[in-house]
Amino acid sequence: MATAALALGLQSCETGQPGKDARREDAAEENIIEYMVFLKPQDMRDPYAHELYDSFDREAFVDSVFASVYQHHAIVTDENGDTLSLETIKEREVTDPRYSHDKVAGIRFREAWSFDPQTKTMTKKVKSMLVGYEFVDDSVIVAIRPAFMINFDN
């Protein structure tokens, strides 16, 4: 399923196709792709899924993302692009258990991809990442609730 979504995303970014969706025109020029990465197994009961994350230090990664935000090294907005204050993010963490670092379960990346056929190299530039918290039902992450977006383009 992920392969199909990736293929669909790449296909939607091809340039020069007639009948192209007008909303995607600038994305086609920049080869923009968005995709979701889970930072922990979706089915927490699946022992084999945990093996996929054995070499990933999720806690250190999440802490580094928040440290960047707290030290004002990142431009942070809500999912609609409105600036989100550092105080708001900190307040959520203190007052609402749903905003615990342990609950960060996914990131939606927005990237600019390009392929150079001459050198046979591919480059990617992360434009933003939307940090999301898990919504769990019966030990399965059924959704990711957006928390804040870190923008790297500005």
Side-chain angles (χ1 to χ4, degrees):
M1 180 141 146
T3 305
L6 179 58
L8 181 61
L10 288 173
Q11 187 178 38
S12 70
C13 289
E14 291 178 7
T15 57
Q17 291 189 352
K20 196 136 188 62
D21 186 339
R23 296 174 303 157
R24 303 295 298 174
E25 281 307 313
D26 34 324
E29 291 176 85
E30 291 187 45
N31 293 312
I32 300 298
I33 185 166
E34 293 188 28
Y35 59 94
M36 184 72 177
V37 173
F38 284 91
L39 304 180
K40 55 170 72 170
Q42 284 181 269
D43 186 342
M44 296 172 206
R45 301 166 298 194
D46 182 355
Y48 299 107
H50 289 275
E51 291 177 11
L52 298 172
Y53 296 86
D54 280 348
S55 63
F56 177 59
D57 189 345
R58 191 193 67 76
E59 184 178 343
F61 178 79
V62 170
D63 287 347
S64 69
V65 168
F66 276 86
S68 178
V69 169
Y70 292 157
Q71 296 166 9
H72 302 284
H73 297 298
I75 299 164
V76 182
T77 64
D78 64 15
E79 63 186 301
N80 298 317
D82 297 324
T83 302
L84 205 58
S85 75
L86 188 57
E87 292 74 28
T88 301
I89 295 170
K90 286 182 177 181
E91 181 181 327
R92 283 179 182 172
E93 285 189 89
V94 173
T95 61
D96 190 338
R98 296 177 305 165
Y99 288 100
S100 162
H101 286 208
D102 291 340
K103 305 259 187 223
V104 174
I107 294 181
R108 187 178 78 206
F109 288 97
R110 183 172 180 268
E111 298 176 344
W113 288 16
S114 63
F115 177 72
D116 184 341
Q118 301 291 71
T119 61
K120 296 179 179 73
T121 57
M122 174 147 181
T123 58
K124 303 183 342 173
K125 180 181 185 254
V126 177
K127 297 175 97 38
S128 66
M129 57 189 240
L130 180 68
V131 176
Y133 293 95
E134 65 190 26
F135 180 79
V136 178
D137 183 27
D138 192 27
S139 298
V140 175
I141 299 172
V142 294
I144 299 293
R145 189 169 21 95
F148 57 86
M149 185 180 304
I150 300 174
N151 298 289
F152 300 106
D153 260 353
N154 301 333

